Amino acid sequence: MNFLVPAALIGLFAAAIPVIIHLLNRRRFRTIKWAATSFLLKASRESRGKKRLKHILILACRTLAIAALIFAVARPLIGNWLGWGGGSVETVVLVLDRSASMETREGDGSPSRREAVVNRIADAIKNMGSPRLVLIDSASGEIQDVPSPDVLPELTSTQATDTQADIPVLITKAIDYLQETKPGKSEIWVASDLQRSDWRPDDSRWLAIQSGIEALPTKTSLRILASGSEISPNYSLELLASRRIEDDLLLDLKISRSKGQSETSIPLTISLMGARSTDPERVTISGQELRLQKRIPLGEIKESGYGWVGLQTDNNPRDNAVFFAFGEKEPVYSWLVTEDPSSEVAGYLQRSAAPTGFDRFSCEIVSPVQTTKINWSTASLIIWQAPLPTGAVASQMAEFVKSGGSAIFYPPEEPSTEAILGMSWGPVINAPDDEFFINGVWTRDDGPWQDGQTGTPLPVKELRSIKRRSIQGDAATLAEWDDKSPLLVRQIDGAGTAIFVGTLPDDRWSNMEYTALHLVANQRMIQLGTDRLHAGYRAIAGSEKSQTQDEEIRSRLDSFEDYEPSLGPYRSGVYRLGERTVAVNRPNSEGDLERVNEESLDKLLEDTPYSLFEDTKTKDDLISEAWKAFLVAVLLFMLAEAILCLQPRPSVAPVTNPSPAS
Amino acid sequence: MKYDFLDTDVLARLGAIPLESRFPMVGNVAGRHRSPHRGSSVEFAEYRKYVPGDDTRRLDWKAYARSDRYYIKEFEADTNLRAYFVIDTSGSMDFTSGENPSKIDFAKKIAATLSYLIVNQGDSAGLSCCSEKLHLEIPPSRRAAQLQHIFETLKDIEPTGETGLVHALHQIAEKTQQRALVIILSDLFVETEKLADALQHLRFRKHDIAMFHLLDPQEVDFHFERPHRFVDLEDGSVVVAEPNLIVDEYHEALREFLETVETKCHNVHADYHLLQTNANYEKVVSDFITSRLTKKS
């Protein structure tokens, strides 16, 4: 329990007054010479039990009445949100999850999870006597002083977005802020729906968060207000891929629903270049999700265009539409991460991703320590020829692949003990003298080494290797060495693909450079990444690519909803950013219903005390002042004391009318 | 007056009322009280058949004339009264709750007043003061100097120690051969069974027993505002108690004690009077004397 006037709690010592008076009275007895001692002894023996209990109860009532009065003066705050703590809070740092999943509503007319939690927090802050409120929202990540809790629901920084949240980063920011400003007693409040993709339990930063909170100058409580424990009936639409094939645009769509299994027909509205289809096509969904391919004839549109596909409004209005944009030529970005950027093999791999004369293709080389340079949102392919990534980079890589990116891993010279996507490198194996490792079998109709369009096989059989690294993990083997060990392995995760190649296009390893198998594999992976991502025209809400750069000016092209300039960078839609046209969509991971449970939170915050408040449908305030209840308690205790004291008067003396004549 | 337990006005007002014994007394001189022996007197008692040896002068000739039988006419033989005042002088009798006289003082007033009245009407009065350590005894006498003796003794009494009442009553019962009026003044803080035995002993000796059971008002009410440390007046033992917590139980114990004592007294036909020391002693004495007039058997 927290108090608005904690200093008044010093007065609790006054609760001991009745006990002290009682004890003093017991000590301040008078001495009297007495004759009828025998009755006294008998009465003392018999008076134990009920009488003593009653006396203790009276004393307890008096003590509790004073204590309750002191509590009332201290203006206590009650509610599961704050739990039992003590002392007033000077600063509250609110980490607000504004991700798209927070826009889910419980039903028609009810507020979204975000609106509900913001309103409740505003009320709670007011009830706490309006301590300083600092907001860190998940969309902008900026730290903002909120002048008054009343304005919290109206702030741009608390409005709906289609972005994803990175809770570990936000909490880290909150810790850094508290570390820098060193306010008095502070609390970090995290308002979120606990969506697993936002909380990223595998993120290594959670360890730093624990130690960060521990190291704060003042003891800081972490409170998590979790909403969305109940799943509302909702349909969501995701765009898995979009590609232009001659005069048509091909969209890979996924429709998911949170509840229900029965076969249902739902309308699908398509808008192209601002022209909405008059007769929405109906699609039938049975089960939890439906994947479909939608072919949109482009007709007279020869160069570029845009549009959207939408479902009818339901419990989450932010996941009912996906946006697309297309053009004739798209830039293709690849990144090569190599342990030695100046090596010969680095050159081979770079040229295979960005061949000379193909201006649309670019491939930048970085070392493993320079991976922060990688623009994951625009990359079609990541070529990784280095020990496998760890920590945040590994998370980014996994997220990149899951969201539809392509990655191809070549064996590093240095030992690599880490694993990614369930795969890892084994030891280097050298071929016996005067012998080679050669290919056994390979999949000719699928994968990066599949036959060409004319059916011509690739020269896989000509591959000769004197050095290789074994590939470990559970994945599809597309090509094998002659001793059955894997040569080319494919791991599919989410919408993306990762390929592991067992040897290098380097004379010290193999003749792959001669066979150009790496070039074919890299180009096919680039095509896969580019086609599926359509990266040039597509961006994730809140990502760097969806932001204006340099002197670009933002304008919205589609007419799906009204354009709000202040929220533009965080909302889905088709935008003109300077010369660019970008279709911004919410991250597909926002459709993931998986939440981190309390057990996972306990693991993430193992050494950090935190309190979790599951927000339910109840309208109760998070916290409220309870002084009235304590005043009532005072009255009740006084009443009880009076009743106990007003027990029947002591019995009448046995001799009331002395008379010798009696 | 020399003795503060005597009030001449009270004595003057009460002097007109005679103190009677409820049972026949055996005295050594003629007096105003009935005797178990028959003799000549003005008050007719009964007829009885003549037996040889009877004084023929006492034959009732009128009865012979009517019935042709010889009857001797018997009259009540009046004699004097022996009164024994037994005063409990144990420490508990010294208790007083402020303005009221102590129990011993109240007992002195009653004993002195009654002894004055008794001696003045020609009867004998004696005194026995008993405590654990002291047993003073003044045999009954009807001489005028007896009063002086009794008053001086009463004046010097200092209550102390535990009670010797039961022992004193047994002694009086054993030593006093002739019937007497035994007037007991005590708070009776003794074992009730032993007290009952002593009273039974007195009654067996055909003594007329009058019991003045004296209590202080505070001993009855037991009203205290705060915890007290009670020091026993007799044995000095200490009890610390919160009276407001035990008042009900105290009253119950006292009630049980009083009922027992009263029952025991009634069993031996004792004239029982429960008194508080705030009572008007003149009225107490007056009522006592008056009640005995009506109870005379």
Side-chain angles (χ1 to χ4, degrees), chain A residues 572-646:
Chain A
S572 300
V574 183
Y575 294 95
R576 171 74 71 189
L577 302 173
E579 296 298 315
R580 297 185 291 141
T581 299
V582 180
V584 178
N585 282 298
R586 71 188 179 98
N588 288 342
S589 57
E590 282 300 300
D592 192 356
L593 294 175
E594 193 179 359
R595 303 172 86 230
V596 284
N597 54 24
E598 199 168 348
E599 194 179 335
S600 302
L601 284 174
D602 287 342
K603 280 184 184 170
L604 294 179
L605 301 164
E606 198 174 5
D607 298 325
T608 306
Y610 76 97
S611 55
L612 174 66
F613 181 76
E614 287 279 358
D615 192 13
T616 59
K617 288 179 180 176
T618 56
K619 305 283 184 192
D620 298 341
D621 291 337
L622 292 179
I623 49 175
S624 55
E625 279 206 63
W627 61 269
K628 285 179 187 170
F630 279 90
L631 277 189
V632 170
V634 171
L635 291 175
L636 288 177
F637 285 130
M638 290 174 70
L639 190 66
E641 193 258 3
I643 290 170
L644 286 168
C645 290
L646 279 178

Side-chain angles (χ1 to χ4, degrees), chain A residues 43-62:
Chain A
S44 293
R45 276 197 303 271
E46 292 176 359
S47 75
R48 292 185 182 129
K50 279 186 183 176
K51 281 279 181 64
R52 197 156 293 274
L53 177 66
K54 194 181 92 174
H55 200 67
I56 289 170
L57 284 176
I58 290 170
L59 206 58
C61 282
R62 290 170 183 166

Side-chain angles (χ1 to χ4, degrees), chain A residues 334-342 346 350 363-376 382-384 386-387 389-390 392-394 396-397:
Chain A
S334 298
W335 295 83
L336 170 61
V337 182
T338 177
E339 49 195 351
D340 183 5
S342 60
Q350 185 190 29
C363 180
E364 193 170 333
I365 302 178
V366 293
S367 68
V369 294
Q370 296 173 314
T371 49
T372 50
K373 289 183 178 178
I374 298 174
N375 188 341
W376 298 89
I382 304 291
I383 304 169
W384 196 280
T390 60
V393 181
Q396 286 175 308
M397 173 67 87

